[in-house]
Amino acid sequence: EVQLVESGGGLVQAGGSLRLSCAASGFTFGTHAIGWFRQAPGKEREGVSWIKNNDGTTHYRDSVKGRFTISSDNAKNTVYLQMNSLKPQDTAVYYCAATLASDFDAGWIGLRPATYEYWGQGTQVTVSS
């Protein structure tokens, strides 16, 4: 059974940092791409970042470039999202997702929710001003 479990969310002041974790099981971690998404109340789910576990390629949405860093520990089957310089507009439920179809080249493809087959339950991130 495929499982993705997010952790690390919480309440932080603007300018602070959080590190989210996505622990995966039930599939061959090294052959998948993992994406981080977020969804704020009343808004659509949007892609934040992704990483291809086979070669380490990463991509970020423009609004988080330079502030967020995605990384993967294949030995632990875990992907991390280090979030620095957080802003109130980063407030959302953050989800990780996995896809076996990781041969996409364009960054925007990996930021589409429809690209991913498996999803976690999400973790709340709240940034206060």
Side-chain angles (χ1 to χ4, degrees), residues 2 5-6 11-12 19-20 27-28 42 46 53 57-58 62 80 91 96 105-106 117:
V2 173
V5 180
E6 303 95 336
L11 173 64
V12 64
R19 188 177 79 156
L20 304 183
F27 61 92
T28 307
E46 64 181 20
N53 287 331
T57 306
T58 60
D62 287 346
Y80 304 97
T91 295
C96 66
D105 292 325
E117 301 97 78

Side-chain angles (χ1 to χ4, degrees), residues 95-120:
Y95 301 88
C96 66
T99 178
L100 180 59
S102 62
D103 58 348
F104 52 86
D105 292 325
W108 64 269
I109 295 176
L111 294 180
R112 295 186 316 168
T115 298
Y116 296 83
E117 301 97 78
Y118 308 110
W119 289 84

